[in-house]
Amino acid sequence: MTSTPNAKPDFSDIFATRMSGIPRSFIREILKAAEEPGMISFAGGLPNKDLFPIEELRAACDKVLREQGREALQYSASEGHTGLRGLIADHYKKRGIQNVEPENILITNGSQQGLDLLAKITINQGDKVLMEAPSYLGAIQAMAIYQPAFVTVRLNDDGLDIDHLKEVMAQKPKMMYLIPNFQNPSGISYSDDNRRKVADVVRGTNTLLIEDDPYGELRFEGTAKTSFMNLIPEQTVLLGTFSKTLTPGLRLGWIVVPPALMNQLLIAKQATDLHTSTFTQRVAYEYLIKADTDAHIKKIVERYGRQKTAMMEAVKKYFPASIKTTNPEGGMFLWITLPNNIPSKKLFDMGIAEKVAIVPGDPFCLNQTEPSSSARLSFSTVDETMIDLGMQRLGALAHKLCG
Amino acid sequence: MTSTPNAKPDFSDIFATRMSGIPRSFIREILKAAEEPGMISFAGGLPNKDLFPIEELRAACDKVLREQGREALQYSASEGHTGLRGLIADHYKKRGIQNVEPENILITNGSQQGLDLLAKITINQGDKVLMEAPSYLGAIQAMAIYQPAFVTVRLNDDGLDIDHLKEVMAQKPKMMYLIPNFQNPSGISYSDDNRRKVADVVRGTNTLLIEDDPYGELRFEGTAKTSFMNLIPEQTVLLGTFSKTLTPGLRLGWIVVPPALMNQLLIAKQATDLHTSTFTQRVAYEYLIKADTDAHIKKIVERYGRQKTAMMEAVKKYFPASIKTTNPEGGMFLWITLPNNIPSKKLFDMGIAEKVAIVPGDPFCLNQTEPSSSARLSFSTVDETMIDLGMQRLGALAHKLCG
């Protein structure tokens, strides 16, 4: 063995091959640009911080530390806080979502960690994972680490393209990842009919269906749809989060899994970070048992609904008629598509120069060879006046691009 | 494709092969036994909750939510809170540990997550990882997920066995994982001379040295030792945590890496859970800029020191002379070894029956064919009277076992 005192170590081979498969985090650079002073940003995926229940959380912190400080600051169970898991199960029942028992819930650091843990316990290199086209970038990144082969199914305005789904299911994917309510990035929702058809295709296969539902309660139009947990409970994994209805800064989400998966999920959680913060879990619990969460969510919904309307009206007013948009009934995102396959990256670049930020569709698109002509616009954090101003600028640019 | 409406899905092949390599979490069962009413538990690895600075943290929560609630509850950067990273770097300097810059620090959910992220970005299946024998179970679990080939080096009372280290380093491990201060589970510390010798062996190789230092500030005897960050900074990764000096319930730790690793670490952090709780980071920051942390740590050290002395005296008083112990100068753990290769599992079983819990050495020992004759006893959470009582019971059992 040679030990050369002044030689520099060579770390060119230090990285695991799994790191080479992760898409370049283009969106980080976009979000950096979006934070520049004077920028009107439709780029972020953030909830509106005007609506955080700060005073109620302050009271909850105070109570937790006064009454249970020693326990609230100690290590705790990997599963998560028993009371909080109970409240989550109860809340699903209230929303008409059956088959969720507290013992099948694991508390995670946001639902991003739910994705990491689920991928960790299931994906072998090359395993097929079915994704919506387009899909949530964070899910793509979380799973890409474990080197699956992604297969994609087209999204229509009412959900998955069923013929395409049948075709792709023939490849027997181990998992499928869906966001049926106010999808990120497209804003579309699956109709009840589409959900039943998807369930009929998936039922009886060995494919695990992940239903990610961060925005489901943020509905400002239309009627609530069913959950795959009602349709094919034995194959459904639910991912949930407090990030959009309470606050993201506590980093609290959860995962509901079929009983057969719980033990391995717990082992993975323990190996990954032992458990989620005892303190933030107890604070959320104290908040939830006191708060009028319906009234709070109503406030969010009213705000986002108004802002969505402002954005849709601005599209009509300022954009060329050849631009297509989805029509989100809730959530935070609108998806626009330029005509004639014009790359949306062009609109993004021109927008940045005029101080309006959007996210071009490319990072959301897997297995794609052409540049995306779609873009994601968030209406959650910008007020109606600024939406009008930003969309006016973007509209003028779109007119230039579309000729 | 067949869709059989009432067929149950078959999840027997759902798990990734990586999950088969994780040691059975025997210790979870032990800790469950240790929580039974009336049990005197030396089994846990918990800090003493009597010493949590609850009132100071309550003031910090209050200030954060009053003054920066909107930002403290929003999403934030994957790297972590800038101010907190600065304080951590400053604190290392104060302790005589050089070469730690804030931009090389990533905030994690406890140092357990630092281990997961580091293993995630580096370990390919079969890569050699050098571990102390015995080593920390949590580190074994975190890394085992990524399927390395573990190689082990004997620990002596003053650190790694240098001849054995040289021999094992010939296998060119990608990483080595060391706990040089008050090691878990053995309680031993590396002498300065041993550290220099280890550094001489490692310097100039392409092996990354992970120095895990959760207990370094909890020294009740002897003098502080140097860090590998002073000796071979370009190859050293430091893992740190607030769990032992502040509280574990906030789930706050950090990892200091060579600049070449930072970008991939950030990508992995983002894919894993986006970022650590904005709120708990800001609370810790507000606490730290106000608190007299030296005085607080002094209180912890005095308590643990007294309890360690009580435990050592009880060994002398109640145990057979043939029992060997380490002599920890800090931290939370004492390691005892039975003579004649008597399995410590026997002492554990007898202890549980008499309402005293310890942890047999087996889960800490990799690549081992014989049952361990050692056991870990924690002196952090039990007061001196109960230590005396528990050790009296254990001593009587040890006399029976050793004949």
Side-chain angles (χ1 to χ4, degrees):
Chain A
M1 222 203 59
T2 57
S3 170
T4 326
N6 292 313
K8 273 209 152 186
D10 174 8
F11 288 142
S12 54
D13 289 332
I14 196 86
F15 297 114
T17 53
R18 76 179 64 82
M19 294 306 289
S20 61
I22 306 165
R24 289 264 315 130
S25 197
F26 176 44
I27 208 163
R28 282 176 68 89
E29 290 148 44
I30 292 174
L31 293 179
K32 209 161 265 181
E35 278 169 16
E36 278 177 25
M39 188 72 69
I40 299 174
S41 178
F42 305 133
L46 310 182
N48 194 317
K49 60 190 178 184
D50 292 352
L51 302 167
F52 295 159
I54 298 173
E55 281 310 303
E56 291 85 345
L57 286 170
R58 199 160 70 81
C61 284
D62 202 70
K63 187 168 169 19
V64 165
L65 289 175
R66 273 183 201 278
E67 295 176 4
Q68 348 149 7
R70 291 152 48 105
E71 292 68 36
L73 297 170
Q74 187 58 288
Y75 286 111
S76 59
S78 299
E79 294 86 329
H81 184 266
T82 306
L84 188 61
R85 295 159 78 207
L87 289 184
I88 291 166
D90 289 348
H91 192 67
Y92 276 120
K93 284 197 190 80
K94 245 182 66 182
R95 289 177 61 198
I97 299 174
Q98 305 302 323
N99 308 309
V100 178
E101 300 303 327
E103 58 269 27
N104 299 332
I105 298 174
L106 177 92
I107 306 291
T108 56
N109 306 324
S111 54
Q112 185 73 21
Q113 192 187 40
L115 281 165
D116 174 63
L117 295 176
L118 197 61
K120 192 178 243 175
I121 69 167
T122 61
I123 298 176
N124 284 319
Q125 184 172 7
D127 279 350
K128 298 259 167 50
V129 173
L130 187 154
M131 306 288 282
E132 300 163 324
S135 185
Y136 168 52
L137 178 65
I140 296 171
Q141 290 176 322
M143 295 201 265
I145 292 231
Y146 301 95
Q147 302 174 280
F150 288 118
V151 291
T152 60
V153 173
R154 264 192 313 280
L155 270 187
N156 297 327
D157 280 346
D158 69 339
L160 284 179
D161 186 297
I162 298 296
D163 288 337
H164 195 194
L165 173 66
K166 285 179 180 166
E167 201 180 289
V168 175
M169 282 295 287
Q171 298 187 48
K172 303 194 174 177
K174 199 173 221 179
M175 282 203 299
M176 56 198 296
Y177 172 78
L178 310 178
I179 312 170
N181 292 317
F182 326 126
Q183 202 249 6
N184 182 357
S186 73
I188 71 107
S189 295
Y190 295 24
S191 67
D192 272 331
D193 183 55
N194 186 265
R195 288 170 205 238
R196 275 189 291 269
K197 284 178 179 152
V198 171
D200 286 345
V201 174
V202 175
R203 187 181 294 115
T205 68
N206 296 327
T207 301
L208 205 59
L209 187 155
I210 310 172
E211 176 174 335
D212 193 359
D213 189 29
Y215 319 106
E217 297 194 74
L218 306 183
R219 173 179 287 280
F220 35 74
E221 290 164 26
T223 52
K225 305 292 183 287
T226 192
S227 162
F228 287 103
M229 198 53 111
N230 291 341
L231 300 172
I232 40 171
E234 62 287 343
Q235 281 171 266
T236 299
V237 169
L238 270 185
L239 289 177
T241 180
F242 290 117
S243 293
K244 307 304 186 294
T245 53
L246 180 52
T247 82
L250 298 177
R251 301 308 301 126
L252 288 176
W254 62 86
I255 178 167
V256 188
V257 293
L261 271 68
M262 194 61 187
N263 191 46
Q264 295 288 55
L265 195 68
L266 256 176
I267 290 172
K269 174 69 179 168
Q270 199 182 13
T272 299
D273 63 0
L274 303 181
H275 62 83
T276 293
S277 167
T278 322
F279 179 57
T280 60
Q281 289 185 74
R282 287 188 181 233
V283 168
Y285 177 77
E286 287 300 332
Y287 166 81
L288 291 167
I289 55 172
K290 286 255 178 69
D292 184 346
T293 50
D294 289 345
H296 178 65
I297 289 170
K298 201 173 159 212
K299 262 169 48 182
I300 302 174
V301 166
E302 279 172 3
R303 172 82 72 103
Y304 290 6
R306 281 204 312 273
Q307 290 171 183
K308 178 256 176 174
T309 302
M311 190 173 267
M312 293 293 279
E313 281 173 3
V315 171
K316 270 187 221 146
K317 205 156 122 193
Y318 302 122
F319 280 57
S322 56
I323 293 251
K324 282 192 199 146
T325 73
T326 53
N327 183 21
E329 295 189 335
M332 296 164 40
F333 304 113
L334 179 71
W335 185 245
I336 67 167
T337 303
L338 301 174
N340 309 320
N341 301 317
I342 298 169
S344 59
K345 180 73 169 52
K346 287 189 182 174
L347 186 62
F348 165 75
D349 288 332
M350 293 162 80
I352 292 293
E354 300 272 332
K355 297 277 182 197
V356 193
I358 60 174
V359 184
D362 307 270
F364 307 106
C365 298
L366 282 158
N367 307 338
Q368 185 162 306
T369 49
E370 298 296 308
S372 172
S373 56
S374 300
R376 190 189 76 178
L377 280 69
S378 164
F379 47 79
S380 55
T381 59
V382 186
D383 69 27
E384 290 150 275
T385 313
M386 295 309 275
I387 285 177
D388 189 78
L389 180 60
M391 293 299 279
Q392 190 172 356
R393 290 187 201 160
L394 271 185
L397 299 172
H399 273 289
K400 273 191 207 166
L401 263 178
C402 303
Chain B
M1 222 201 57
T2 58
S3 171
T4 326
N6 293 312
K8 273 210 152 185
D10 174 8
F11 289 143
S12 54
D13 288 333
I14 195 86
F15 297 114
T17 53
R18 73 178 66 82
M19 295 307 290
S20 61
I22 306 165
R24 288 264 315 130
S25 198
F26 175 45
I27 209 165
R28 281 177 68 91
E29 291 149 44
I30 292 174
L31 293 179
K32 209 160 264 180
E35 278 170 16
E36 279 176 24
M39 188 72 70
I40 299 174
S41 177
F42 305 134
L46 310 182
N48 194 315
K49 60 190 177 183
D50 293 351
L51 302 168
F52 295 160
I54 298 174
E55 281 310 304
E56 291 85 346
L57 286 170
R58 199 160 69 81
C61 284
D62 202 70
K63 186 169 169 23
V64 165
L65 288 175
R66 272 184 201 279
E67 295 176 4
Q68 346 148 8
R70 292 151 48 104
E71 292 67 36
L73 297 170
Q74 186 58 288
Y75 285 111
S76 59
S78 299
E79 294 86 329
H81 184 267
T82 306
L84 189 61
R85 295 159 79 208
L87 289 183
I88 291 166
D90 289 348
H91 192 67
Y92 275 120
K93 284 197 189 79
K94 245 182 69 185
R95 288 177 62 198
I97 299 173
Q98 306 302 323
N99 308 310
V100 178
E101 301 303 328
E103 59 269 26
N104 299 332
I105 299 173
L106 178 93
I107 306 291
T108 55
N109 305 325
S111 55
Q112 185 73 22
Q113 191 187 41
L115 281 164
D116 174 64
L117 295 176
L118 198 61
K120 191 177 244 175
I121 69 167
T122 61
I123 298 176
N124 285 317
Q125 185 172 7
D127 279 350
K128 299 259 168 51
V129 173
L130 187 155
M131 305 289 281
E132 299 163 325
S135 185
Y136 168 53
L137 178 64
I140 295 170
Q141 290 176 322
M143 295 201 264
I145 291 231
Y146 301 96
Q147 301 175 281
F150 288 117
V151 291
T152 59
V153 172
R154 263 192 313 279
L155 270 186
N156 297 327
D157 281 346
D158 67 339
L160 284 179
D161 187 298
I162 299 296
D163 287 337
H164 195 195
L165 174 66
K166 285 180 181 167
E167 202 179 289
V168 175
M169 281 295 287
Q171 299 186 47
K172 302 193 175 180
K174 199 174 219 179
M175 282 204 296
M176 55 198 296
Y177 172 78
L178 311 178
I179 312 169
N181 293 317
F182 326 128
Q183 203 250 5
N184 182 357
S186 73
I188 71 106
S189 295
Y190 295 24
S191 67
D192 272 331
D193 183 55
N194 187 265
R195 290 170 203 238
R196 275 189 291 270
K197 284 177 179 153
V198 170
D200 286 343
V201 175
V202 175
R203 186 179 295 116
T205 68
N206 296 328
T207 301
L208 204 59
L209 187 154
I210 309 172
E211 176 174 336
D212 192 0
D213 190 30
Y215 319 107
E217 298 193 74
L218 306 183
R219 172 177 288 282
F220 34 74
E221 290 164 25
T223 52
K225 304 293 184 287
T226 192
S227 161
F228 287 103
M229 198 53 111
N230 291 340
L231 300 173
I232 41 171
E234 63 285 344
Q235 281 170 266
T236 299
V237 169
L238 271 185
L239 288 177
T241 180
F242 290 117
S243 293
K244 307 306 185 294
T245 52
L246 180 52
T247 82
L250 298 178
R251 300 309 300 128
L252 288 176
W254 62 87
I255 178 167
V256 188
V257 293
L261 272 68
M262 193 60 185
N263 191 45
Q264 295 289 58
L265 194 69
L266 257 176
I267 290 172
K269 173 69 179 169
Q270 200 182 12
T272 300
D273 63 0
L274 301 183
H275 62 83
T276 294
S277 167
T278 323
F279 179 57
T280 60
Q281 289 186 73
R282 286 188 182 232
V283 167
Y285 176 78
E286 286 300 331
Y287 166 81
L288 290 167
I289 54 171
K290 285 255 178 70
D292 184 346
T293 50
D294 288 346
H296 178 65
I297 289 170
K298 201 173 159 208
K299 263 169 48 184
I300 302 174
V301 165
E302 278 172 3
R303 171 82 73 104
Y304 291 5
R306 282 204 313 273
Q307 290 172 184
K308 178 256 176 171
T309 302
M311 190 173 267
M312 293 292 280
E313 281 172 4
V315 171
K316 269 187 220 146
K317 206 157 124 191
Y318 301 122
F319 279 58
S322 57
I323 293 251
K324 280 192 200 150
T325 75
T326 53
N327 183 22
E329 295 189 334
M332 296 163 42
F333 303 112
L334 179 71
W335 185 245
I336 67 168
T337 302
L338 303 173
N340 309 319
N341 301 317
I342 298 169
S344 59
K345 181 72 168 53
K346 288 190 181 175
L347 186 61
F348 165 75
D349 288 332
M350 293 162 79
I352 292 293
E354 300 271 332
K355 297 277 182 196
V356 193
I358 59 173
V359 183
D362 307 86
F364 307 106
C365 297
L366 283 159
N367 307 336
Q368 185 163 306
T369 49
E370 298 295 308
S372 172
S373 57
S374 299
R376 190 189 77 178
L377 281 68
S378 164
F379 46 78
S380 55
T381 58
V382 187
D383 71 25
E384 290 150 275
T385 312
M386 295 309 275
I387 285 177
D388 189 79
L389 180 60
M391 293 298 279
Q392 190 172 356
R393 290 187 200 159
L394 271 184
L397 300 172
H399 272 291
K400 276 192 206 164
L401 264 178
C402 303

